[in-house]
Amino acid sequence: MFGYTFYWSLVWDAIPELLAGAWLTVQLAALSMLLGTVFGLPLAVARRQGEGRAYRLATAWVELARNTPTLFQIYMMYFGLGALGIQISSYWAVLIALTFNNTGYLAEIFRGGLAGIARQQLAAARSLGLNQRQGYLHVVFPQLLRIVFPGYVTQAVWAMLNTSLGMLVGLQELSGAAQSAQSVSFRSFEFFLITALIYYVIAKLIEFGARAVFWRWLRT
Amino acid sequence: MIDIRGVRKHFGNIEILKGIDLDVNKGELLCLLGASGSGKSTLLQCINGLEPIQGGSIKVDGIEVHAASTDLNMLRQRLGIVFQQFNAFPHLKAWENVALAPRLVQGKSRREAHEIALHHLAHVGLAEKADLLPSRLSGGQQQRLAIARALAMKPTYMLFDEVTSALDPELVGEVLDTMRLLRQEGMTMVVVTHDITFARNSSDRVAFLHQGTVAEIGTVSQVLGQPRSEHTQKFLRREHC
Ligand SMILES: Nc1ncnc2c1ncn2[C@@H]1O[C@H](COP(=O)(O)OP(=O)(O)OP(=O)(O)O)[C@@H](O)[C@H]1O
Ligand SMILES: [Mg+2]
């Protein structure tokens, strides 16, 4: 109708590269979410203290991560560090930047959730002889993850889509792989369609997977 | 024994405890009465170090609770506490609630802790509820779960902070029964309550708190029968009508 003829066979031939890219995308999203959680939890606790060094560090982290472009954060890791003579691969640059970014967003999500957990829960844990760390780890955080789960999953999808910025520092994640493949064939439209479809499928898998996890393990 | 001398506590500029003197003897049940805001809950939380104090001293079996050198996590194993608000851990089954501290604090294996948990759940009449989440338990059952959870650490003392006042009236009895059972077994107990009948029938001694001081302390017949303090008299008149 628009005088455009689809050539799918070229895309079909590039599927192995695209899937390899998709795998990298999933891997980066998962790792940066995992690390973001590990850092975000203590940051949220520090933020709730409202004063002190830990609070100021946490606040600076959250402010920077949430109020500067993700792309800028990746560039800082890749070109910024490079200018200082520290060379890291695009993979590590993207992983570190996305972890930094996720940590900031997750810390705020967690902070909101902490307000919803009765102070009495930690007091009850402490009264049994658990120390502060055990109280958070075994009593507060497990409840927190349940409370913030919807926001957490949204962030996971967002992190996964954000990995596409890796293309701009030469990473062969899904977008990068699609870019390389289409530049050989010049069939951009087909490649972009298929790539978007793969992103969509991954996002839906995260969503349904999360729902299954919640249903199986996190109901109270 | 618990030895409380001249304890002062403030929140900001407001002094809540103004020099509390109190003993709790081994094997007795001491009831703490007092109007709302008189500092009863605060005192209990000072006893097990959940709240710091600004003056005086609290000794539990000779150990200074608020000394910097005191290992509070060790000391707290001697002091079980049950709060007014239900605070079962909602993400853990009943038995896991009880087993958590034995595992983490006493290093018991999962199997040992499971056995301990079942034992104490049976003790408070919750044997069949072991595998349920707290959300499936009634308020009275949740409070008994909290008692079992505290007992699992083999405390020498049990502190109760108005554990029945958030309960529907028909559920109060089962919790009081559990407390009477502990009493018969010789547990040393400090019970904050508004329930004069329970105080009269079940305690050895009664202390009356008024605005952060102990207005009166003595046997049940002294304090509830012939109260000397006008604050106690007023309180008793009000609670009776
Ligand atoms: N964390 C806190 N910060 C500031 N003030 C507090 C805090 N906890 C308690 N207070 C105040 O201390 C006073 C005593 O409180 P407490 O809870 O000990 O009283 P209570 O005798 O247990 O009363 P109730 O019978 O209502 O439970 C109250 O005026 C209360 O507002
Ligand atoms: Mg109180």
Side-chain angles (χ1 to χ4, degrees):
Chain A
M1 182 163 53
F2 297 106
Y4 188 92
T5 325
F6 286 98
Y7 285 95
W8 291 108
S9 65
L10 287 167
V11 179
W12 189 245
D13 291 341
I15 282 288
E17 284 86 14
L18 292 182
L19 287 182
W23 170 238
L24 198 55
T25 286
V26 168
Q27 200 185 328
L28 279 168
L31 280 174
S32 67
M33 277 302 283
L34 186 72
L35 293 169
T37 306
V38 169
F39 296 131
L41 286 170
L43 239 60
V45 174
R47 287 270 284 161
R48 270 179 67 78
Q49 283 165 356
E51 57 182 23
R53 263 169 88 160
Y55 167 77
R56 287 199 300 276
L57 173 78
T59 303
W61 188 324
V62 168
E63 288 290 316
L64 224 74
R66 286 163 45 103
N67 297 302
T68 59
T70 313
L71 180 59
F72 166 79
Q73 294 164 15
I74 293 175
Y75 278 179
M76 284 305 286
M77 282 301 130
Y78 193 68
F79 301 115
L81 287 184
L84 296 174
I86 307 167
Q87 293 292 347
I88 55 176
S89 68
S90 53
Y91 177 87
W92 281 103
V94 171
L95 179 58
I96 294 171
L98 283 185
T99 297
F100 175 78
N101 187 268
N102 279 337
T103 300
Y105 280 94
L106 287 173
E108 280 305 87
I109 292 174
F110 293 149
R111 189 168 71 113
L114 280 175
I117 297 176
R119 240 171 49 88
Q120 290 277 338
Q121 286 285 311
L122 190 59
R126 298 304 305 274
S127 78
L128 292 166
L130 275 69
N131 61 33
Q132 183 99 347
R133 200 183 58 87
Q134 292 170 324
Y136 274 110
L137 234 45
H138 294 272
V139 174
V140 176
F141 289 160
Q143 295 180 52
L144 181 59
L145 288 180
R146 287 169 169 82
I147 293 177
V148 303
F149 202 71
Y152 188 85
V153 175
T154 305
Q155 182 62 30
V157 172
W158 186 236
M160 188 275 293
L161 298 177
N162 254 340
T163 58
S164 62
L165 294 169
M167 175 176 99
L168 298 168
V169 290
L171 190 64
Q172 294 290 304
E173 40 62 66
L174 180 51
S175 293
Q179 171 73 16
S180 305
Q182 71 89 23
S183 69
V184 179
S185 66
F186 300 107
R187 302 305 301 188
S188 323
F189 195 40
E190 287 88 334
F191 274 103
F192 290 155
L193 273 180
I194 286 296
T195 306
L197 181 69
I198 298 177
Y199 275 118
Y200 184 83
V201 168
I202 298 175
K204 285 291 142 184
L205 284 178
I206 292 175
E207 194 185 314
F208 288 122
R211 222 177 271 176
V213 165
F214 196 84
W215 196 246
R216 174 71 183 76
W217 284 293
L218 300 179
R219 268 185 310 159
T220 49
Chain B
M1 86 179 239
I2 303 176
D3 183 15
I4 301 170
R5 287 285 156 267
V7 164
R8 294 182 176 279
K9 161 88 198 164
H10 36 84
F11 288 113
N13 291 328
I14 306 161
E15 190 156 55
I16 304 296
L17 303 181
K18 303 168 182 162
I20 299 267
D21 292 309
L22 201 66
D23 291 327
V24 183
N25 301 313
K26 272 271 163 67
E28 81 169 334
L29 191 159
L30 173 69
C31 266
L32 280 183
L33 304 178
S36 185
S38 57
K40 307 177 298 288
S41 300
T42 305
L43 179 61
L44 289 194
Q45 303 200 7
C46 291
I47 292 177
N48 76 353
L50 282 175
E51 286 287 351
I53 60 176
Q54 280 79 41
S57 86
I58 300 176
K59 286 194 188 125
V60 174
D61 298 334
I63 303 166
E64 182 66 66
V65 177
H66 295 271
S69 58
T70 300
D71 181 349
L72 275 179
N73 300 324
M74 282 292 285
L75 185 76
R76 285 188 181 127
Q77 296 178 44
R78 292 171 197 251
L79 297 157
I81 185 165
V82 183
F83 302 90
Q84 172 177 5
Q85 300 87 344
F86 312 146
N87 52 26
F89 305 136
H91 59 299
L92 299 177
K93 292 173 181 169
W95 80 264
E96 293 169 328
N97 261 271
V98 182
L100 186 68
R103 287 193 70 187
L104 292 177
V105 181
Q106 298 177 333
K108 298 272 200 286
S109 72
R110 197 180 151 83
R111 249 189 67 192
E112 277 177 301
H114 185 241
E115 256 167 47
I116 292 171
L118 293 186
H119 170 78
H120 288 285
L121 285 173
H123 194 183
V124 301
L126 291 177
E128 302 92 74
K129 309 289 181 188
D131 287 318
L132 295 184
L133 287 168
S135 57
R136 304 285 307 278
L137 301 179
S138 72
Q141 290 167 341
Q142 289 197 43
Q143 286 303 57
R144 285 187 281 146
L145 171 59
I147 294 173
R149 189 171 71 181
L151 289 175
M153 298 308 281
K154 298 233 181 301
T156 320
Y157 307 92
M158 283 289 290
L159 315 175
F160 294 87
D161 190 359
E162 297 193 47
V163 292
T164 57
S165 56
L167 291 177
D168 293 336
E170 70 270 20
L171 300 177
V172 169
E174 61 188 68
V175 176
L176 293 184
D177 285 344
T178 305
M179 290 165 66
R180 289 194 195 97
L181 175 68
L182 291 187
R183 157 128 188 72
Q184 280 160 22
E185 293 167 355
M187 176 65 74
T188 307
M189 297 158 74
V190 180
V191 179
V192 172
T193 182
H194 282 279
D195 186 340
I196 310 282
T197 313
F198 177 83
R200 177 167 289 128
N201 296 335
S202 305
S203 56
D204 298 295
R205 287 195 305 154
V206 177
F208 184 80
L209 255 64
H210 178 71
Q211 297 184 353
T213 59
V214 179
E216 189 160 5
I217 181 165
T219 62
V220 176
S221 53
Q222 268 168 20
V223 177
L224 298 181
Q226 293 122 19
R228 274 167 301 171
S229 155
E230 54 168 318
H231 303 303
T232 318
Q233 290 162 8
K234 229 187 265 169
F235 179 82
L236 290 176
R237 268 201 303 278
R238 192 152 22 91
E239 292 290 321
H240 273 298
C241 55

